[in-house]
Amino acid sequence: EDKVVQSPLSLVVHEGDTVTLNCSYEVTNFRSLLWYKQEKKAPTFLFMLTSSGIEKKSGRLSSILDKKELFSILNITATQTGDSAVYLCAVEGAIIIQGAQKLVFGQGTRLTINP
Amino acid sequence: DTEVTQTPKHLVMGMTNKKSLKCEQHMGHRAMYWYKQKAKKPPELMFVYSYEKLSINESVPSRFSPECPNSSLLNLHLHALQPEDSALYLCASSEDRGGGNTIYFGEGSWLTVV
């Protein structure tokens, strides 16, 4: 059975700190790994990773994938209170139907940034 | 434009009611999804439509009935729901590039069954 595990489940830091969120996975036929940020509504897309060792970067956020060790990390530098959210990792694998895909989500990491 | 629009944003319904959730996207995506999300849990896949045909039904009870009238619209018809069905219902869509596609989510419909 496909599985995605995120750690830590919860993290509280002070504004300005750097955080690293972890995502490990076991899926058949890995296609991609996605990171989402979820505040009080729908998940918003952050990154999609398909290749090992290539860092994706957007402002203070960056992410990298290791397909040999089956994990990904999401880094946030110089954190701000607006970064407080649940960060979801999802992996596309196993069943591929024409034009569609099945994502397996991790439990999420609840990040709280205190001023 | 990466917008998936869902209506209504909030819905309260009784256990004998019939209601529908609606979802619309104009990105030309040919795959559309319904997810259910309970509090403090990740989204769980319910249904996948690919090219307007139901491709995946994750053993969802028949009181949830999806419909895809055309490539831009996805509905979820609700009938005889239970209080435990109260959750955030998320619609999503993605392109057809044979995998490695980004799934874009709508803002969700908060459903409360009383």
Side-chain angles (χ1 to χ4, degrees), chain A residues 38-53:
Chain A
Q38 187 172 27
E39 295 169 88
K40 288 185 179 173
K41 40 186 184 176
T44 52
F45 171 75
L46 295 175
F47 298 112
M48 182 172 73
L49 304 155
T50 54
S51 301
S52 260

Side-chain angles (χ1 to χ4, degrees), chain A residues 1-13:
Chain A
E1 186 183 333
D2 293 346
K3 196 173 168 185
V4 177
V5 177
Q6 291 185 244
S7 64
L9 294 181
S10 180
L11 184 58
V12 181
V13 299

Side-chain angles (χ1 to χ4, degrees), chain A residues 3-9 20-27 30 32-36 47 49 62-75 87-92 104-109:
Chain A
K3 196 173 168 185
V4 177
V5 177
Q6 291 185 244
S7 64
L9 294 181
T20 298
L21 309 184
N22 302 294
C23 175
S24 64
Y25 62 90
E26 293 175 29
V27 298
F30 173 89
S32 64
L33 183 146
L34 296 93
W35 283 98
Y36 289 89
F47 298 112
L49 304 155
S62 64
S63 182
I64 198 160
L65 174 68
D66 186 327
K67 288 167 76 172
K68 186 179 174 190
E69 300 297 330
L70 306 182
F71 77 90
S72 174
I73 60 171
L74 175 69
N75 277 324
Y87 289 83
L88 292 165
C89 173
V91 175
E92 176 193 4
V104 180
F105 280 88
Q107 324 92 296
T109 293

Side-chain angles (χ1 to χ4, degrees), chain A residues 31 36 38 42 48 92 98-99, chain B residues 31 37 50 58 98 100-101 103 106:
Chain A
R31 299 300 291 265
Y36 289 89
Q38 187 172 27
M48 182 172 73
E92 176 193 4
Q98 182 196 5
Chain B
Q37 187 174 25
S50 173
E58 290 287 273
N101 307 323
I103 292 185

Side-chain angles (χ1 to χ4, degrees), chain B residues 13-25:
Chain B
M13 62 185 289
M15 289 189 281
T16 58
N17 291 160
K18 279 186 184 181
K19 297 284 184 185
S20 296
L21 305 180
K22 296 184 183 302
C23 175
E24 191 168 2
Q25 57 87 14

